[in-house]
């Protein structure tokens, strides 16, 4: 089984979720459920920090697409933050990089969402 961890911080008006490890068919469904649980207000932006996510296969990509669709249905937005080089390459190769709001830093993403960065509270999910 491949390991992935998800930790969350809550901002006023949004959630920051940091993913680390690898996402593949063995854990993508669990990750999707964890993301849904970690971000129960889909009308608010979700910031996925992917800087420590070193591998993402097609099932992991499907998790990102499903998360984006869930948020869009509630008029929320998904922001991908600092994707690891390998993840960014997959997004580019599949032509999906333009389907996501991708930012270099969390501050850039928070500003793009119209929020102010403030002190966060955190919790581990997976």
């Amino acid at each position: 089984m491949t390991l992935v961890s998800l930790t969350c911080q809550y901002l006023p008006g949004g959630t920051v979720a940091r993913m680390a490890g690898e996402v593949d068919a063995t854990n993508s469904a669990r990750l999707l459920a964890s993301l849904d649980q970690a971000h129960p207000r889909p009308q608010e932006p979700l910031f996925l920090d992917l800087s420590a996510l070193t591998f993402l296969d097609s099932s992991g990509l499907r998790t990102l697409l499903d998360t984006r669709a869930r948020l869009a249905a509630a008029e929320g937005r998904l922001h991908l933050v600092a994707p690891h080089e390998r993840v960014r390459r997959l997004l580019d190769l599949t032509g999906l990089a333009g389907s996501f709001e991708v930012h270099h830093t969390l501050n850039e993403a928070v500003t793009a969402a119209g929020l102010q960065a403030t002190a966060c509270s955190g919790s581990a999910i997976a």
Side-chain angles (χ1 to χ4, degrees), residues 3-122:
L3 296 179
V4 63
S5 67
L6 179 70
T7 56
C8 295
Q9 294 179 316
Y10 299 96
L11 300 172
T15 302
V16 178
R18 289 182 175 86
M19 296 168 55
E22 300 181 354
V23 178
D24 62 21
T26 66
N27 60 19
S28 60
R30 184 177 54 112
L31 178 61
L32 182 59
S34 293
L35 284 169
D36 287 347
Q37 178 185 1
H39 187 64
R41 297 176 307 274
Q43 70 279 9
E44 294 181 357
L46 173 60
F47 306 97
L48 282 184
D49 181 341
L50 305 178
S51 59
L53 187 70
T54 57
F55 179 79
L56 184 73
D57 74 357
S58 60
S59 63
L61 191 54
R62 169 55 51 201
T63 297
L64 295 181
L65 291 167
D66 289 347
T67 299
R68 185 193 64 180
R70 179 180 72 92
L71 294 172
E75 298 185 17
R77 293 165 53 193
L78 175 63
H79 298 264
L80 303 184
V81 178
H84 187 279
E85 179 182 326
R86 291 180 192 138
V87 173
R88 181 60 188 226
R89 182 169 162 82
L90 176 65
L91 293 171
D92 290 339
L93 287 173
T94 59
L96 291 172
S99 298
F100 293 98
E101 295 184 59
V102 181
H103 307 278
H104 295 289
T105 67
L106 179 58
N107 283 340
E108 180 184 300
V110 168
T111 300
L115 301 179
Q116 292 183 355
T118 61
C120 303
S121 62

